[in-house]
Amino acid sequence: MKTQNLTPSPWSDVAPRLVAVAAGRAPAELVIRGGQWVNVHTREILPGHDIAIAEGRFAAIAPDLTYAIGPETEVIEAQGRFMVPGLCDGHMHVESGMLTPAEFAAAVIPHGTTTMFADPHEIANVLGIEGVRMMHDEALMQPVNMFMQMPSCAPSAPGLETTPYEIGPDEVTEAMRWPGIVGLGEMMNFPGVIAGSQQMLAEIAATQRAGKTVGGHYASPDLGPNFLAYVAGGPADDHEGTTELDPVVRARQGMRAMMRHGSAWFDVDRQITAVTEKGLDPRNFILCTDDCHPGTLVEEGHMDRAYRRAVEKGCDPLIALQMATINTATHFGLERELGSITPGRRADLILTPDLRTLPCELVIARGRTVAENGRLTVTCPHYDWPAKARDTVRMGADKTAEDFAIPAPKGASKVRVKVIGIVENQAPTRALTAELNVRNGTVEPDAAQDVAQCAVIERHKSSGRMVNGFVNGFRYKGRMAMASTVAHDSHQIIVVGTDREMMAESANAIAKMGGGFSLWKDGEEIAQIPLPVAGLMSDAPAAEMATKASNLVARMRDCGCDLNNASIQHSFLALVVIPELRISDLGLVDVTRFEFTELFA
């Protein structure tokens, strides 16, 4: 399918027009008058300034640009409001919002996000490079800047999980030629880089030869030789830090430290002190969201929310703005293209009356108004997703309660098992153990110890393969289960429950639905979220998805789970690249050693 690319003309092509406007020989298309210019290059607020825009780019910024106003020039009165660069998200996954790129853009534009650097590795695990191309093509159609990074790891942990497609150096080399690809997505296979994996280093080399940025993902507390080896391999940033020391060490080694504040990851809280208290140079720090639930996007915000969190935790608003604009643009080699209100850059800006809370009263992208007072004022075009992208759930035969039975060693009345421990508001899990009862030869979950059962079912090739385990931290009560096809990163079907019959019902419902979430309680489905595109996304409006997502969370509370954004924690149980303990379609995984481990302790 041929898609429309709305990217503005290169600066070099429109420079004559910008020069003419700045010199007063030609009128601007838009002039914003009488605002406070927030200059992120110099960290200054300059009152009483005008901005002239032409060809979707800034032509001039000065105290008086009356001379640039012609008969057909649109004039916006800033009335003393702050003129802030459009916000940039340095690391995120569109699929985590359960929305297609068009609907994700529609959700975040009113919150002032005008640039996103997205890694579509979720769809890469389901549909391979063809799925990445679909995401890329829809991204290019949007009225804001939605850059894609070519996923580096599908599967994310070779040998520990399976995917229907694989990404390798050839695919990375091909994608580097696409117009909307800005670099390599997070290099999650850090053990491979450390061990000198030919494939991982070849992907990094292909990206570097293309002059683009290599994304990092070092999810280990080990900051010794292994970390040094990973940095030497070429990743240029990292968002997996959870303590103050993590961004400090990364910045010292020449990486950009990305501090995330998403729906379930509140890492800004523990890391911003590297700037606010230790006084490190903020140029090497970037704000990002990583994963945002649709309810968060609609009800709380996106990058404006991350910015506010940094300010609430003591960061100077101008420094926080740098971390959400120019620092990000510079990192991706786009400082001369976006990230600031300066001549030649894409005309992306926010008008706001308050720098601390950042209400986005007017959002302009590429020189035109795209949102006003929280309301989208443009259309976000949709890609025509083919049938192949909507038919991705192949679980095989329906499941029964017996499929979820975990046989105990012969003659045992109690067993000690390894348990995945959820950590609220963090990506890492804990490796726990619990003593569980055996009934009729089958190991039983135990609500008193907050131990539920979990399972991963292969859903790409109809193999029927599944693995059972246990999880702590959801606080579920009664007879219930939830299944989803959102199961990072290989996106098999993941089920968590207290009752094996309910687990089977929820898995079967997901298969019939074609992907999404299905929550069951006492024999009835009480919430569902259909995700027909790759079992990961919906092309329904964000507000509709937010309602469904909020209902799911509320119904999870009815089952006893009051975790913050528990559905995201559910989806990450199979993420076999973040310590300590995970589950995949091949077995229980010790992620501190990157090897399989037995269920029985």
Side-chain angles (χ1 to χ4, degrees):
M1 171 186 172
K2 184 176 178 57
T3 58
Q4 182 182 10
N5 185 344
L6 298 178
T7 304
S9 300
W11 184 352
S12 56
D13 290 358
V14 299
R17 169 96 168 108
L18 300 181
V19 169
V21 170
R25 296 191 299 271
E29 293 155 20
L30 170 64
V31 170
I32 303 170
R33 295 198 301 195
Q36 299 188 65
W37 177 23
V38 178
N39 193 310
V40 291
H41 287 283
T42 58
R43 206 185 300 158
E44 292 179 288
I45 298 174
L46 302 167
H49 274 68
D50 299 349
I51 297 174
I53 295 170
E55 302 290 346
R57 295 179 179 273
F58 296 117
I61 304 93
D64 185 3
L65 291 174
T66 305
Y67 66 79
I69 300 174
E72 297 183 5
T73 301
E74 178 186 1
V75 177
I76 295 175
E77 301 294 346
Q79 297 178 321
R81 287 177 288 182
F82 297 97
M83 303 182 295
V84 176
L87 304 179
C88 306
D89 192 343
H91 174 73
M92 54 160 288
H93 307 284
V94 170
E95 303 97 317
S96 293
M98 304 182 197
L99 304 166
T100 57
E103 289 302 329
F104 196 100
V108 303
I109 289 171
H111 293 291
T113 300
T114 57
T115 299
M116 288 158 270
F117 296 93
D119 179 357
H121 72 220
E122 319 303 349
I123 201 169
N125 277 273
V126 179
L127 292 170
I129 192 172
E130 189 175 358
V132 176
R133 185 73 201 220
M134 295 173 194
M135 295 286 283
H136 166 273
D137 287 355
E138 182 162 298
L140 287 181
M141 299 164 67
Q142 303 315 308
V144 292
N145 315 307
M146 187 176 278
F147 297 102
M148 291 286 159
Q149 296 169 287
M150 179 59 190
S152 60
C153 302
S156 59
L160 298 178
E161 62 180 352
T162 57
T163 59
Y165 299 91
E166 293 188 7
I167 298 295
D170 291 344
E171 288 80 9
V172 171
T173 300
E174 177 187 337
M176 290 303 140
R177 296 191 288 264
W178 300 352
I181 295 290
V182 76
L184 188 68
E186 53 183 315
M187 177 50 72
M188 293 179 289
N189 188 0
F190 60 89
V193 174
I194 293 164
S197 161
Q198 183 177 353
Q199 177 176 335
M200 296 300 102
L201 294 180
E203 290 183 10
I204 292 172
T207 306
Q208 292 173 324
R209 282 194 291 268
K212 299 185 178 183
T213 304
V214 177
H217 171 116
Y218 184 77
S220 170
D222 179 2
L223 297 176
N226 281 344
F227 172 67
L228 298 178
Y230 182 72
V231 178
D237 58 58
D238 188 39
H239 58 274
E240 286 297 331
T242 59
T243 68
E244 180 188 75
L245 180 61
D246 289 329
V248 171
V249 172
R250 284 154 175 79
R252 284 173 178 166
Q253 294 292 330
M255 301 178 88
R256 278 346 193 290
M258 292 188 172
M259 300 181 290
R260 60 186 171 186
H261 187 69
S263 291
W265 324 133
F266 289 5
D267 297 317
V268 165
D269 295 12
R270 293 172 295 276
Q271 296 183 78
I272 196 67
T273 53
V275 173
T276 59
E277 296 179 13
K278 284 192 171 297
L280 269 62
D281 189 335
R283 289 179 300 173
N284 296 311
F285 294 83
I286 290 171
L287 292 174
C288 71
T289 64
D290 200 356
D291 298 290
C292 273
H293 189 273
T296 302
L297 297 176
V298 172
E299 297 163 15
E300 300 179 42
H302 186 233
M303 279 302 297
D304 57 331
R305 175 175 173 268
Y307 162 82
R308 281 192 293 273
R309 189 68 170 198
V311 172
E312 289 167 5
K313 293 299 176 180
C315 189
D316 182 305
L318 292 182
I319 291 176
L321 278 176
Q322 288 178 315
M323 293 178 183
T325 58
I326 191 63
N327 292 7
T328 315
T330 300
H331 177 59
F332 287 99
L334 292 168
E335 182 181 331
R336 299 284 291 172
E337 186 67 17
L338 49 88
S340 67
I341 300 174
T342 44
R345 278 67 170 184
R346 298 184 187 188
D348 304 332
L349 67 91
I350 299 163
L351 284 184
T352 181
D354 181 29
L355 275 191
R356 297 194 68 83
T357 58
L358 206 71
C360 300
E361 293 185 346
L362 190 74
V363 183
I364 291 173
R366 301 172 183 173
R368 65 170 179 158
T369 298
V370 291
E372 192 166 3
N373 295 320
R375 184 178 61 86
L376 188 72
T377 59
V378 293
T379 299
C380 294
H382 282 241
Y383 179 82
D384 185 11
W385 293 87
K388 180 178 182 179
R390 296 177 181 271
D391 179 23
T392 63
V393 183
R394 300 179 182 87
M395 183 180 74
D398 280 359
K399 300 303 177 187
T400 66
E402 288 70 31
D403 292 317
F404 295 90
I406 300 175
K410 189 174 181 180
S413 61
K414 290 181 179 291
V415 292
R416 181 157 291 279
V417 298
K418 296 174 185 175
V419 179
I420 302 169
I422 297 298
V423 182
E424 188 169 13
N425 293 329
Q426 289 190 29
T429 63
R430 294 177 295 160
L432 307 177
T433 62
E435 188 174 70
L436 300 179
N437 292 322
V438 175
R439 185 165 58 243
N440 298 325
T442 299
V443 185
E444 297 292 338
D446 185 354
Q449 298 184 71
D450 188 17
V451 175
Q453 193 170 329
C454 60
V456 171
I457 306 168
E458 196 281 321
R459 65 106 161 171
H460 301 298
K461 300 180 179 180
S462 304
S463 69
R465 182 173 60 251
M466 61 182 291
V467 172
N468 287 293
F470 293 99
V471 62
N472 163 269
F474 283 111
R475 300 190 276 275
Y476 286 130
K477 308 291 184 185
R479 296 176 61 240
M480 60 73 58
M482 187 169 80
S484 82
T485 49
V486 181
H488 302 269
D489 276 325
S490 57
H491 297 291
Q492 313 291 359
I493 293 174
I494 191 157
V495 191
V496 174
T498 61
D499 180 90
R500 290 187 288 275
E501 183 180 345
M502 295 296 92
M503 293 178 80
E505 292 284 9
S506 63
N508 295 337
I510 285 293
K512 291 182 177 66
M513 192 191 306
F517 286 80
S518 178
L519 176 63
W520 287 65
K521 184 177 187 291
D522 295 331
E524 295 182 358
E525 186 180 51
I526 60 172
Q528 68 165 225
I529 305 177
L531 299 175
V533 180
L536 301 172
M537 300 175 290
S538 171
D539 45 14
E544 178 182 325
M545 295 305 295
T547 298
K548 290 180 184 294
S550 296
N551 179 62
L552 178 71
V553 171
R555 300 291 75 78
M556 290 174 76
R557 289 196 193 99
D558 292 344
C559 296
C561 179
D562 58 359
L563 285 177
N564 175 54
N565 276 297
S567 61
I568 289 184
Q569 297 283 14
H570 173 101
S571 302
F572 275 73
L573 290 175
L575 187 55
V576 293
V577 293
I578 297 183
E580 296 175 339
L581 190 63
R582 305 281 170 168
I583 187 170
S584 82
D585 65 307
L586 299 179
L588 196 64
V589 181
D590 179 343
V591 191
T592 63
R593 300 183 178 182
F594 276 84
E595 60 186 32
F596 292 112
T597 186
E598 295 299 322
L599 176 63
F600 295 104

